[in-house]
Amino acid sequence: LGELLAVPGVRIFQGVRAPAGDAPRIPHAVSAGRGLVLVESVAWPAGQYATMAGGRVYCDGVYIGQSVRPLTTAVQHWREALPDGHRVTAVVVVHLAGRSGSLLLAPGAGRDLAWTRPGEAVCCVRARLPRRRQAVSMRAVAALVAATAGEENR
């Protein structure tokens, strides 16, 4: 994601957690103007992945004990926390665990969630940020700084 820092106005925050509740930290949040992309990384074995109702993740038709629900809940939280006009989405970067095989990723969940491989992650995140340069959203930056209290952020 470091390559995104070359884009004017982009800021990357690490370890973002919604202020309320016991939701897990989102590893990265990329902010530019009024755009915010939450980024989660996972390492999964080869297989064909899909998400079902409720956000459960399946590999080759078998539930793997994971869900995208915490990530989509975080998207909803940030949509409500930020002023109107902010666009909040999420990207899951899926790394292949193991040396062989292939990953067939689930289609994205509309405008809320996209799946991508590591080599395509920067392009995928950048595509979800505003196309034109926008003024920095000080409200978004302040909220993200508060959500990363005690964590390294940039």
Side-chain angles (χ1 to χ4, degrees):
L1 295 179
E3 293 174 38
L4 291 167
L5 292 172
V7 177
V10 166
R11 288 164 176 75
I12 300 174
F13 297 84
Q14 297 177 348
V16 175
R17 183 182 310 204
D22 59 353
R25 289 191 185 277
I26 303 300
H28 295 93
V30 180
S31 173
R34 288 184 299 277
L36 177 62
V37 181
L38 305 176
V39 182
E40 178 85 43
S41 291
V42 295
W44 288 340
Q48 182 172 354
Y49 288 87
T51 54
M52 301 298 177
R56 289 180 170 209
V57 178
Y58 289 75
C59 178
D60 298 330
V62 177
Y63 175 55
I64 65 169
Q66 294 188 21
S67 172
V68 296
R69 176 70 88 193
L71 189 56
T72 57
T73 299
V75 166
Q76 188 60 39
H77 162 79
W78 288 103
R79 283 185 181 154
E80 293 170 3
L82 296 175
D84 288 342
H86 284 72
R87 181 173 184 234
V88 183
T89 62
V91 170
V92 179
V93 181
V94 184
H95 300 263
L96 177 62
R99 297 178 184 250
S100 64
S102 63
L103 291 167
L104 297 172
L105 301 177
R111 65 186 186 111
D112 291 345
L113 178 69
W115 300 86
T116 189
R117 291 174 178 81
E120 301 157 358
V122 169
C123 289
C124 184
V125 170
R126 189 165 185 177
R128 292 176 161 265
L129 294 172
R131 295 195 192 284
R132 294 185 178 165
R133 188 171 180 182
Q134 296 177 344
V136 173
S137 170
M138 296 311 289
R139 299 257 320 260
V141 169
L144 289 163
V145 167
T148 58
E151 297 291 322
E152 177 184 343
N153 58 59
R154 305 193 236 192

